[in-house]
Amino acid sequence: MNRYLIAGNWKMNTDINEAVTLSKGICEKQFKSNVNVVLGVPFTHIYSVNEIVQNTDVSVSAQNCYFMEKGAYTGEVSPVMLKSLGVSYTIVGHSERRQYFFETDDDINKKVKLLLKEGIIPIICVGETIEQREKGNYKDVIKNQLEKCLNEVNSIKNIVIAYEPVWAIGTGKTATSDEAEEVCMFIRTLLKEKYNKEAEEIFILYGGSMNKSNAKELLEKSNINGGLIGGASLKVDDFIEIINSCQ
Ligand code: PGA
């Protein structure tokens, strides 16, 4: 596969002015045509950033959603609302949501199904903790997360998977390219069992302290089709350098 997807995950960073400056800065740059560039912005900035990315090759992603279409769920945001804003992607199951907001694979599965119904591409995050890695059962953890998150999902044509080892997120401690490739290949093999050819075309991203120095080596691996970038997506030049690390 000669296409890449580089998604920024801004997390709970930037005020609206900073978000406008950052997204304009990114949209003004030239990047390779075989890279889908996605900005995962806070809910409050989606409308403004989406205006900025119009007529560019950059798309907007939300960082979460609720699994109901509408109703008395104070404070929540539904995929229907996101669709009406022009959102193309939504990150679901990020480890910070699992850890701080107690999201389960079952919740994530419901979100995935509703997003697909609305025509939004879910970026499903999976990954093991440091304890699970040290115990050696990290592949079982990934398999279990994937199976549950994709329960009753018949096609992965409009899905992206992000492998994000929890121990590498925001820690500056990246998985080596071999460690990342091992799990990304494992994910693709698992998906092949259920989805056959679609598994060859799905974007599998690596996330966890990816930066301009390590991106090229990670992106050279055949089962890593892009990155989900936190910290380094908040600086225009760093983010562009990562995009341009794609071959
Ligand atoms: P990081 O975050 O690049 O800051 O480690 C990645 C992520 O959480 O998606």
Side-chain angles (χ1 to χ4, degrees), residues 9 11 94 164 168-170 208-210 228-231:
N9 175 11
K11 310 194 181 187
H94 191 281
E164 297 213 308
I169 297 175
S209 300
M210 196 190 256
L228 183 54
I229 327 286

Side-chain angles (χ1 to χ4, degrees), residues 116-128:
L116 290 174
K117 186 171 164 227
E118 294 306 320
I120 298 174
I121 300 176
I123 302 176
I124 306 174
C125 303
V126 295
E128 79 284 0

Side-chain angles (χ1 to χ4, degrees), residues 147-214:
E147 280 173 0
K148 288 187 174 153
C149 293
L150 291 173
N151 185 36
E152 295 174 347
V153 173
N154 298 322
S155 166
I156 51 168
K157 252 194 187 147
N158 293 315
I159 285 183
V160 174
I161 305 289
Y163 167 55
E164 297 213 308
V166 179
W167 46 273
I169 297 175
T171 57
K173 196 176 159 198
T174 327
T176 65
S177 56
D178 287 339
E179 284 170 333
E181 168 69 3
E182 184 202 24
V183 178
C184 291
M185 182 157 72
F186 174 69
I187 291 172
R188 199 178 303 280
T189 308
L190 279 180
L191 294 174
K192 263 187 198 155
E193 289 169 14
K194 188 169 167 193
Y195 300 102
N196 305 311
K197 248 194 118 42
E198 283 182 7
E200 284 164 28
E201 271 140 44
I202 190 172
F203 286 108
I204 300 178
L205 316 182
Y206 167 78
S209 300
M210 196 190 256
N211 57 44
K212 58 182 180 182
S213 314
N214 58 29

Side-chain angles (χ1 to χ4, degrees), residues 10 14 17-27 39 233-236 239:
W10 294 4
T14 68
N17 297 320
E18 290 163 339
V20 166
T21 307
L22 181 54
S23 47
K24 276 189 182 161
I26 292 163
C27 288
L39 306 181
S233 71
L234 293 166
K235 291 186 201 131
V236 174
F239 192 57

